[in-house]
Amino acid sequence: MKNRRKFIKQLTSLTAVVGIPSILLGQTPWNNTKEVKATPPATSKSPKRALNRPLIVSTWDFGLKANEAAWTILIKDGAVLDAVEQGIRLCENDPNERSVGFGGRPDRDGHVTLDACIMDHKGNIGSVVFLEHIANPISVARAIMEKTPHVMLAGEGALQFALEQGFKKENLLVADSEREWREWLIKSDYPPAVNIENHDTIGMIAMDNAGNLGGGCSTSGMAFKMHGRIGDSPIIGSGLYVDNEVGAVTATGQGEEVIRVVGSFRVVEEMRHGASPQKACEKAVVAIKEKFVLREKDWSNTQIGFIAINIGGEIGAFSLRPGFTYAVKLDTVAEIRKARHLID
Ligand code: ASP
């Protein structure tokens, strides 16, 4: 201890002579400056917050019905997170949606393992990964956020927590998913790539009447993935990010690639620095493509898509390859749109 103090003293006097920045010595040179904020506000180019103009955007075609469920809450002046949770639960509960919740496709060992996360306008976050036997991981993620001192629970521990909270334990593997898995086992072709048949994730971002943003993301991940594999969807910053001063973003597609560039956070940061939601999504997809190039990897069997909204109620969406759709709900509009893409 004495030696350490002596060392710091010597270093400090050395600084005076050679000018070592005080930050390297653990001092904060700006701590007298009132204006510095950890999270800089959006730039002067950023739009004004839209009030009393609720808006919901969700990934893929099934986002349309999820949006409808969420909308019933938002038009009654409900909170954005309630809307997001209810919208996502609708997809999770549908056995015909085979990439989410009940009915999700299993991993290569026949286990349906689910991932989800949720984030509100205050920066509260909850995430659950590698959860089995519970149909609504989005609600488990919310319970983790609201009822534990943590932000993420995994596997057995997450299941134990969910059961303590009263969630019902059930078999999530429906006959169609089991049949597909048995067919897949014959060739056991691996690694599985994200393509049009074997994935989807419900990601939903929304704004309520008060202009507050929130979002959620839920998935069974890539079909026939390795047991224990986690994608981007439950990773705050990758599969989802919300900054109430800027915008909200969620991702879908090959999670490994989204994680590589911390995709959703990246899109929010692009918006913070003045990009429209559309431009911001485009930049993140380009960044992903650049990583493929750098690593000399083939992207021909990969899909990645982002959707984004900003506080002004503008919408953006972009994907690596064709085929990414998203659902929009606002005022009298309830529709599925095709995202623009980078590579044919
Ligand atoms: N992003 C999900 C994952 O990697 C899959 C998907 O969106 O299709 O687990």
Side-chain angles (χ1 to χ4, degrees):
M1 190 57 152
K2 227 172 170 187
N3 283 345
R4 188 170 176 267
R5 259 192 239 126
K6 200 171 152 203
F7 171 72
I8 289 177
K9 208 168 159 201
Q10 281 169 353
L11 200 57
T12 311
S13 31
L14 189 68
T15 313
V17 183
V18 297
I20 295 176
S22 51
I23 191 169
L24 294 181
L25 298 171
Q27 299 165 359
T28 47
W30 55 75
N31 58 8
N32 291 329
T33 314
K34 279 190 198 131
E35 292 308 314
V36 174
K37 288 194 174 170
T39 309
T43 67
S44 53
K45 280 192 245 161
S46 34
K48 264 185 70 186
R49 187 179 302 277
L51 297 176
N52 298 312
R53 271 175 44 210
L55 163 68
I56 310 169
V57 186
S58 299
T59 51
W60 304 108
D61 292 9
F62 58 18
L64 196 66
K65 62 185 181 198
N67 287 359
E68 260 172 50
W71 188 251
T72 59
I73 294 169
L74 288 191
I75 44 157
K76 283 191 227 129
D77 216 17
V80 63
L81 222 59
D82 293 333
V84 164
E85 183 185 3
Q86 290 312 316
I88 289 180
R89 280 177 68 100
L90 191 91
C91 289
E92 289 177 336
N93 289 335
D94 187 340
N96 298 317
E97 300 303 356
R98 311 258 306 292
S99 53
V100 189
F102 182 72
R105 292 187 182 87
D107 64 19
R108 61 192 317 185
D109 298 342
H111 300 271
V112 180
T113 71
L114 305 177
D115 305 324
C117 72
I118 195 160
M119 182 162 190
D120 75 6
H121 62 290
K122 292 181 178 168
N124 291 308
I125 52 176
S127 160
V128 65
V129 301
F130 196 42
L131 177 69
E132 290 187 66
H133 309 302
I134 306 287
N136 297 118
I138 194 68
S139 298
V140 177
R142 185 168 184 177
I144 290 168
M145 175 177 105
E146 290 175 346
K147 297 181 180 166
T148 81
H150 307 301
V151 298
M152 187 184 259
L153 290 179
E156 276 298 316
L159 176 61
Q160 189 186 329
F161 167 75
L163 295 175
E164 281 163 13
Q165 294 299 312
F167 287 86
K168 195 172 91 192
K169 185 171 181 178
E170 56 191 322
N171 175 19
L172 304 179
L173 186 63
V174 299
D176 281 343
S177 291
E178 184 171 358
R179 182 184 38 75
E180 272 186 36
W181 167 61
R182 293 201 181 280
E183 279 165 20
W184 176 84
L185 276 179
I186 297 167
K187 281 198 189 157
S188 296
D189 197 12
Y190 195 81
V194 164
N195 59 43
I196 200 83
E197 294 92 35
N198 72 356
H199 74 103
D200 285 358
T201 287
I202 176 78
M204 178 182 282
I205 45 180
M207 178 160 57
D208 62 19
N209 271 333
N212 284 326
L213 302 173
C217 191
S218 178
T219 191
S220 52
M222 279 199 289
F224 322 131
K225 61 195 175 186
M226 285 177 72
H227 188 56
R229 179 264 184 190
I230 310 292
D232 61 315
S233 305
I235 311 289
I236 295 290
S238 289
L240 175 75
Y241 201 71
V242 176
D243 185 320
N244 211 41
E245 297 308 311
V246 180
V249 179
T250 189
T252 182
Q254 187 112 22
E256 285 76 2
E257 304 310 322
V258 179
I259 292 173
R260 206 179 305 286
V261 300
V262 198
S264 292
F265 182 69
R266 190 176 191 124
V267 176
V268 167
E269 289 307 293
E270 293 289 356
M271 290 195 282
R272 187 192 310 286
H273 292 104
S276 66
Q278 181 61 35
K279 261 274 154 316
C281 291
E282 290 173 12
K283 285 188 169 195
V285 172
V286 169
I288 287 174
K289 197 207 115 180
E290 282 171 358
K291 287 280 187 277
F292 274 108
V293 174
L294 200 63
R295 294 161 57 240
E296 297 175 29
K297 299 278 182 194
D298 173 30
W299 58 74
S300 57
N301 212 6
T302 304
Q303 177 60 302
I304 288 125
F306 290 99
I307 54 173
I309 58 176
N310 66 13
I311 55 167
E314 292 173 296
I315 300 169
F318 199 65
S319 60
L320 184 67
R321 305 183 56 78
F324 175 43
T325 59
Y326 61 104
V328 173
K329 177 70 193 137
L330 74 157
D331 303 323
T332 53
V333 177
E335 63 190 19
I336 294 170
R337 296 182 185 172
K338 273 190 192 157
R340 289 170 47 212
H341 58 272
L342 188 64
I343 303 160
D344 278 315

